Amino acid sequence: MKYQRPKGTRDIYARELKRIEKINSLAREFFEAGGYIEMKTPTFEYAELFARSVGENTDIVEKEMYVFEVNKRKYVLRPEGTASVLRAFIENNLSAPARIFYIGSMFRKERPQKGRYREFLQIGVELLGEGAPFYDAEMVEQAKRFLDLIRARDFTIEINSIGCPACRKLYQKKLLMFLKPKMNQVCEDCQRRFQRNFLRIFDCKNETCQQVYTDAPKITDNLCEQCFEHYTQVKRFLDSLSVQYIENKKLVRGLDYYTRTVFEFKIPGLGAQNTILAGGRYDLLMKQLGGKDIPCLGWAVGVERLLLTLPQHLPEIKLKKKFFVIGMGERFINEMIKIRNQIQNKDGICILGDPDTTIKRQLKRANRFDTDFVIIYGEDEEKKGYYTVRNMQSGEQKPVLKDNFPEYLKKLL
RNA sequence: GUGAGUGUAGCUCAACUGGCAGAGCAUUGGACUGUGGCUCCAAUGGUUGGGGGUUCAAGUCCCCUCACUCACCCCA
């Protein structure tokens, strides 16, 4: 094999592509009905943008971005959508509150595994300029409705509050006091995590680490008064909205910019990558990127992971009927074309057989193409002025007068 | 970046302790000259991922390398 696609990328075609397009179009309708506008931001951005938003010392920035340099300027293929949307919001002087959604490829240079690619599709939404707890709850409810719409099943909703920098600072001290004597019991990764992004230790998959953390103080129980009040109200609104959720005090986020409410939607049976949708509040990011000091929140869903969880036939895709035109000799070409055009104009799928070959061979082709109906045209048909229409499933076959064919077609389609 | 597993025909996979590289499906042709699927017969199809080594002999053992898969890190 001479050429191969780059590691972690996919060639998407036929049914798979149709399913993705279907999800995308459902998403568009869904978000537009909710008053959101679609935004397309560039696939690449200046590298600084993500260092500042996602976090200087997250792995995404340190080792997972596709960085390239042109004329001494550093660019990256975007690893996520939020930073770009905020940048665009600021740069285009949009007014808050703004409701924006996006659909597009993101890029991360990770080792691929199940449900993980180096180029992957995300659908995301951002609600810029709303700080009230009602909107936290509404976004969770919106995410749930979206998954319901595309008929994802068996997902669980986990929520938590990771507070603001003020409560986190006090909490960090408390956690350190608890963990200091136990540091030698946790894995190397956790020791490193504690230095860089200390909340992430709760994400560790190591069981002995988790045992240590079970008794550790949680950020959720150490929120400042305002954050606590906010979180309480978010949960109250979720109850009013009849959203079933699990409160997971160990739930944290990998990106640096999150504050207060965070949530993840998980589905079992996906291997290690069981989070299909995630989001939360990021009240400080807008200002950090040079915009006004306004609170924001959002979520994003990984399309590939989503598709892994949906049964093959979902989302429903209307199948067009397939036709195959058999001509019994080159001199029937014009009539074959005429038949084909009639079918295609009425939104049917139609391909032509090679009139130089036998009817047997053409039928075989038609069969392999998974044809619904075959139209046969040859000397007999010419003489008597009809088309022979063969139903490939039942094998039934009958002559249809040329004049009646458009009418007959309508019934078949 | 780290670890484990797997690479044999277009696809799915066999091949004992190192001893002639095979089967099913698919493809092509025929049985069957304007009628596909089913059946039967036959044919085509291979640098065993690549390179090196050990050996009389390597798909099999050793080393290197590439790719894929899963997991870790990280994350949707």
Side-chain angles (χ1 to χ4, degrees):
Chain A
M1 236 175 295
K2 228 173 171 181
Y3 301 109
Q4 311 182 297
R5 58 179 168 265
K7 188 195 280 280
T9 63
R10 301 191 303 155
D11 301 311
I12 309 167
Y13 51 91
R15 191 182 194 88
E16 181 73 358
L17 183 56
K18 275 258 182 289
R19 298 179 83 210
I20 289 173
E21 300 275 310
K22 184 70 183 177
I23 299 262
N24 290 351
S25 66
L26 284 170
R28 284 201 175 89
E29 282 172 38
F30 177 80
F31 290 124
E32 279 168 9
Y36 287 74
I37 57 161
E38 182 166 8
M39 179 179 272
K40 287 268 184 218
T41 59
T43 309
F44 58 95
E45 297 267 3
Y46 292 125
E48 310 91 78
L49 177 66
F50 295 105
R52 210 153 297 158
S53 60
V54 174
E56 300 272 3
N57 48 12
T58 59
D59 273 13
I60 291 185
V61 167
E62 275 189 4
K63 60 175 200 192
E64 290 176 3
M65 291 204 298
Y66 280 95
V67 184
F68 58 99
E69 197 175 301
V70 180
N71 290 337
K72 301 200 171 165
R73 194 76 207 245
K74 270 190 185 167
Y75 302 85
V76 293
L77 296 179
R78 60 181 178 201
E80 59 111 39
T82 300
S84 296
V85 170
L86 293 213
R87 194 224 77 233
F89 174 86
I90 297 165
E91 190 165 351
N92 295 289
N93 270 318
L94 304 186
S95 55
R99 293 175 151 77
I100 298 170
F101 74 96
Y102 59 86
I103 298 174
S105 288
M106 305 298 159
F107 304 84
R108 291 179 204 173
K109 206 170 61 196
E110 311 166 283
R111 272 280 183 86
Q113 71 195 68
K114 192 180 176 78
R116 158 179 296 175
Y117 303 94
R118 289 186 165 185
E119 176 175 7
F120 62 100
L121 285 162
Q122 264 192 0
I123 298 174
V125 276
E126 315 292 351
L127 174 46
L128 311 180
E130 294 285 9
F134 168 72
Y135 290 106
D136 300 56
E138 199 220 353
M139 282 230 114
V140 174
E141 189 259 0
Q142 179 198 42
K144 175 187 176 297
R145 272 192 302 133
F146 178 66
L147 291 187
D148 285 342
L149 173 72
I150 60 170
R151 299 190 216 175
R153 296 250 186 279
D154 302 324
F155 55 84
T156 54
I157 304 174
E158 297 187 2
I159 68 161
N160 194 19
S161 174
I162 56 171
C164 62
C167 29
R168 239 177 279 169
K169 203 168 179 186
L170 287 174
Y171 165 67
Q172 187 169 12
K173 277 185 192 153
K174 199 165 171 179
L175 184 62
L176 184 61
M177 296 252 283
F178 174 86
L179 282 180
K180 214 165 190 177
K182 301 178 198 289
M183 263 309 182
N184 55 348
Q185 292 174 40
V186 302
C187 66
E188 280 178 29
D189 287 326
C190 278
Q191 297 182 19
R192 191 174 47 86
R193 281 189 194 104
F194 196 80
Q195 301 303 318
R196 295 198 345 193
N197 187 346
F198 74 100
L199 281 176
R200 300 268 343 183
I201 57 169
F202 292 108
D203 262 351
C204 187
K205 286 176 182 167
N206 189 316
E207 270 187 39
T208 58
C209 293
Q210 282 300 332
Q211 271 171 13
V212 173
Y213 304 145
T214 300
D215 298 326
K218 305 294 185 314
I219 178 74
T220 326
D221 301 318
N222 290 277
L223 298 173
C224 68
E225 205 177 312
Q226 293 91 329
C227 286
F228 177 79
E229 179 60 19
H230 187 96
Y231 187 45
T232 308
Q233 290 203 39
V234 170
K235 288 189 280 187
R236 207 189 73 219
F237 278 119
L238 280 173
D239 292 336
S240 308
L241 290 164
S242 307
V243 174
Q244 306 265 320
Y245 60 88
I246 299 164
E247 200 180 345
N248 178 357
K249 292 182 179 180
K250 288 181 183 172
L251 178 65
V252 295
R253 307 266 55 232
L255 278 48
D256 279 0
Y257 53 61
Y258 284 102
T259 54
R260 293 189 168 175
T261 314
V262 293
F263 52 89
E264 282 188 11
F265 287 49
K266 294 179 181 173
I267 293 193
L270 270 188
Q273 317 304 319
N274 61 353
T275 301
I276 57 164
L277 183 153
R281 180 168 280 289
Y282 47 93
D283 286 344
L284 308 172
L285 183 58
M286 186 72 89
K287 188 180 179 195
Q288 202 181 321
L289 291 178
K292 286 181 190 152
D293 187 5
I294 55 173
C296 304
L297 64 165
W299 54 265
V301 61
V303 176
E304 287 85 355
R305 287 186 191 177
L306 201 51
L307 249 20
L308 278 179
T309 73
L310 300 179
Q312 281 301 304
H313 64 285
L314 291 174
E316 303 288 355
I317 294 161
K318 197 185 91 196
L319 293 174
K320 294 179 178 179
K321 289 278 188 279
K322 289 182 177 177
F323 291 79
F324 190 100
V325 182
I326 291 180
M328 301 302 301
E330 199 178 330
R331 66 192 182 86
F332 301 113
I333 279 183
N334 286 339
E335 198 67 25
M336 292 168 71
I337 299 288
K338 212 186 275 178
I339 297 169
R340 181 196 64 191
N341 292 348
Q342 283 186 67
I343 293 167
Q344 291 183 342
N345 286 341
K346 291 217 165 92
D347 210 26
I349 295 170
C350 181
I351 63 171
L352 302 177
D354 175 0
D356 265 354
T357 60
T358 61
I359 189 169
K360 184 190 179 77
R361 186 184 291 273
Q362 292 186 63
L363 266 173
K364 231 173 178 171
R365 287 280 170 219
N367 196 50
R368 189 163 338 141
F369 185 58
D370 213 6
T371 313
D372 295 295
F373 299 99
V374 164
I375 318 293
I376 302 168
Y377 194 74
E379 274 178 38
D380 293 356
E381 285 80 3
E382 184 183 44
K383 227 176 279 173
K384 293 173 185 160
Y386 62 77
Y387 301 141
T388 299
V389 179
R390 181 180 179 84
N391 180 325
M392 288 297 277
Q393 200 147 47
S394 65
E396 278 174 82
Q397 189 167 299
K398 67 175 179 181
V400 177
L401 285 173
K402 286 186 191 179
D403 292 344
N404 297 341
F405 186 65
E407 207 45 39
Y408 190 75
L409 243 188
K410 250 188 236 171
K411 269 192 284 174
L412 297 186
L413 289 163

